[in-house]
Amino acid sequence: MLTAYIDESLRRRPDDCSVYAMAAVIADSADHDDIRLALESLRLGKRRRLHWRDESPAHRLDIARTLTKLPLHSIVTVCIHDRGIRHERARRLCLERLLCELDARDIEEVVLESRYAEDRLDRSLLTGMRRSRRVSLAMEVRWISPYDEPLLWAADAMVGATTRWLDGHSQCFDVLADQIRVICLE
């Protein structure tokens, strides 16, 4: 069974625009335990999780190199928008396209990083997409804390590498490029 793990990244740019991106890391459930162990081995010190923005450039590169050895790939949706568009709107655009892409690939389960109270907004989007038959009722969608699911760390790394690449820092993205499909939204 294929499962997708989704995380997002928001970057404000100095040129009066922002980048909102979401990554879905796709892996077969038979590989989940091995991937989790590999990701957990990358935690430094007493940190409870990997978080791309908190890691040093050298450790980000180590994470990227480790991800290339794991049986996973990702889809990243990117919305570059001006400050007049609310971030929640950009999130909806990214998530909507990502869910359609995953459904088209017959992904059976989707796990999103929980935003707790704001999860209701994602649930509302999902309900609307199911009612309009843009995504299958068979696709199970759950929200989980990143402290409870290391596979969300892989999605965080993929989306973080992509947004850094868009900002001109391509080293980690270049390492991961064969595992990332980027979809730019208009």
Side-chain angles (χ1 to χ4, degrees):
M1 174 174 84
L2 293 176
T3 304
Y5 295 85
I6 298 177
D7 192 20
E8 87 288 335
S9 177
L10 167 65
R11 295 182 69 82
R12 288 179 174 82
R13 292 175 148 179
D15 62 353
D16 201 35
C17 70
S18 296
V19 175
Y20 199 101
M22 294 189 97
V25 169
I26 302 165
D28 191 292
S29 60
D31 298 319
H32 288 179
D33 288 340
D34 291 337
I35 295 170
R36 285 182 184 111
L37 286 172
L39 292 166
E40 287 171 348
S41 74
L42 292 167
R43 284 184 299 162
L44 299 176
K46 294 183 180 186
R47 290 186 185 177
R48 292 181 51 209
R49 66 176 277 201
L50 288 180
H51 200 199
W52 193 257
R53 74 169 182 230
D54 297 335
E55 307 301 334
S56 70
H59 196 231
R60 287 179 187 159
L61 190 55
D62 288 341
I63 293 167
R65 288 180 177 142
T66 298
L67 289 174
T68 64
K69 299 172 188 168
L70 299 176
L72 51 81
H73 65 280
S74 67
I75 303 168
V76 179
T77 53
V78 176
C79 179
I80 299 172
H81 58 93
D82 64 40
R83 301 224 173 151
I85 294 182
R86 293 179 41 226
H87 299 304
E88 198 60 40
R89 172 74 177 139
R91 178 184 176 85
R92 287 178 64 90
L93 291 170
C94 288
L95 182 56
E96 182 176 15
R97 178 63 185 271
L98 204 48
L99 289 173
C100 289
E101 292 286 331
L102 296 172
D103 191 52
R105 287 168 177 73
D106 296 321
I107 303 300
E108 298 175 44
E109 181 179 28
V110 176
V111 177
L112 285 98
E113 180 176 344
S114 180
R115 299 185 303 154
Y116 306 99
E118 288 85 8
D119 292 348
R120 66 180 165 68
L121 300 171
D122 294 343
R123 285 186 177 96
S124 176
L125 172 66
L126 178 63
T127 298
M129 292 180 74
R130 285 183 169 160
R131 284 185 181 151
S132 65
R133 299 178 195 260
R134 288 181 289 159
V135 296
S136 168
L137 293 171
M139 186 170 61
E140 179 185 342
V141 181
R142 300 182 292 133
W143 287 259
I144 296 178
S145 167
Y147 296 104
D148 297 329
E149 180 50 76
L151 278 152
L152 289 168
W153 308 346
D156 176 67
M158 293 291 191
V159 75
T162 302
T163 57
R164 300 257 318 140
W165 167 66
L166 291 168
D167 285 344
H169 306 282
S170 65
Q171 186 178 27
C172 292
F173 182 86
D174 290 346
V175 170
L176 294 165
D178 289 341
Q179 289 177 281
I180 300 176
R181 176 177 172 230
V182 178
I183 300 171
C184 291
L185 307 175
E186 295 190 29

